[in-house]
Amino acid sequence: MRGRFITFEGGEGAGKSTQISFLAAALEAQGLPVLQTREPGGSPGAEEIRGLLVRGEAGRWDGVSETLLLYAARRNHLQTVILPALEQGRWVLCDRFNDSTLAYQGYGRGLAMDWLDSLYQAVSEGLQPDLTLYIDVPVEVGLARAGRRGDDENRFEGLADSFHLKIRRGFQEIVRNNPDRCATIDGMGSVDEIRRVILETVLSRLPHHGR
Ligand SMILES: Nc1ncnc2c1ncn2[C@@H]1O[C@H](COP(=O)(O)OP(=O)(O)O)[C@@H](O)[C@H]1O
Ligand SMILES: [Mg+2]
């Protein structure tokens, strides 16, 4: 049986990377085969492209170049990692996916949505996540959390607050437009509260027969 594809979305510091690992452990404990991955990146080729995207000056790429790099990476990730894992029946958990491109490059940078949609169609051949968990936090909370993380992947964090606000509004609109696929998770609770809400959401939206 084909596996399930779950994506985590949200702005910087929302708690995606924290929560995806908890969900992976919880599903594994139920006897499910899990693959945890991330974008941009997730395959050797796409991780090389990630390095170009997340480091350096914010103005290093314009929106069009950035978008083409993202979709080149996504194509490689889908072909070499995500699709084979789903074929093998695994539950694929991905830290950011196409909704991040719509939010950042579409709503944030103002690139045409129909261009992004046609690029997604070309690289994905129509695959959609079975469930998208959008973790919502106010911009200032997310940026403060991300600042504490202390890594060097800060190219997008350096952008203006107004840009991050557009991204948040964008994610919220994507969720409103795709209610069957997407669930909003309030990211303002404790790590443990959010962990429980996410697990309940996954188990109710994607019933399964584990071990
Ligand atoms: N619910 C939460 N409350 C407070 N701090 C949190 C919460 N979730 C995550 N954090 C912290 O915020 C920072 C960013 O979290 P992270 O999971 O890396 O966010 P993201 O992957 O969405 O950018 C980390 O230092 C993490 O420990
Ligand atoms: Mg993260």
Side-chain angles (χ1 to χ4, degrees):
M1 192 187 131
R2 185 184 168 278
R4 304 296 186 101
F5 184 28
I6 302 174
T7 59
F8 282 69
E9 296 284 7
E12 318 295 320
K16 301 175 297 298
S17 303
T18 303
Q19 294 295 336
I20 197 171
S21 299
F22 283 128
L23 182 64
L27 295 177
E28 273 168 2
Q30 301 204 7
L32 295 168
V34 173
L35 177 83
Q36 185 182 327
T37 186
R38 70 170 182 180
E39 288 208 349
S43 61
E47 286 289 330
E48 288 188 47
I49 296 173
R50 178 191 180 91
L52 300 174
L53 283 161
V54 299
R55 300 207 179 87
E57 295 294 311
R60 177 179 190 189
W61 308 109
D62 80 341
V64 173
S65 300
E66 183 174 276
T67 300
L68 293 171
L69 287 167
L70 284 163
Y71 280 108
R74 181 158 304 133
R75 173 87 174 162
N76 187 259
H77 187 209
L78 278 163
Q79 283 182 320
T80 64
V81 173
I82 295 175
L83 291 171
L86 290 173
E87 286 293 314
Q88 293 161 12
R90 299 175 84 177
W91 286 50
V92 176
L93 310 186
C94 192
D95 189 340
R96 292 196 183 278
F97 192 63
N98 194 55
D99 294 323
S100 281
T101 312
L102 301 180
Y104 281 70
Q105 282 68 39
Y107 291 95
R109 283 198 183 264
L111 297 186
M113 284 296 172
D114 57 353
W115 185 61
L116 300 179
D117 287 341
S118 65
L119 283 171
Y120 182 66
Q121 195 60 32
V123 308
S124 72
E125 291 150 30
L127 178 80
Q128 285 289 344
D130 296 295
L131 175 62
T132 294
L133 299 162
Y134 164 59
I135 307 180
D136 185 61
V137 294
V139 167
E140 59 281 8
V141 173
L143 290 178
R145 284 184 190 169
R148 283 201 301 275
R149 206 169 44 201
D151 56 33
D152 67 342
E153 295 193 340
N154 48 17
R155 178 165 167 261
F156 289 99
E157 288 160 29
L159 296 164
D161 282 7
S162 61
F163 182 84
H164 291 283
L165 202 59
K166 283 191 225 168
I167 290 167
R168 186 182 187 205
R169 299 279 170 260
F171 276 126
Q172 291 171 339
E173 188 167 310
I174 291 166
V175 172
R176 272 199 303 280
N177 292 341
N178 298 274
D180 294 340
R181 170 171 69 83
C182 301
T184 296
I185 306 294
D186 180 358
M188 289 298 282
S190 70
V191 168
D192 204 52
E193 282 162 0
I194 298 166
R195 179 185 64 78
R196 279 194 302 257
V197 170
I198 286 178
L199 186 58
E200 278 166 23
T201 303
V202 170
L203 296 181
S204 66
R205 292 251 199 156
L206 302 176
H208 71 91
H209 303 286
R211 184 158 48 198

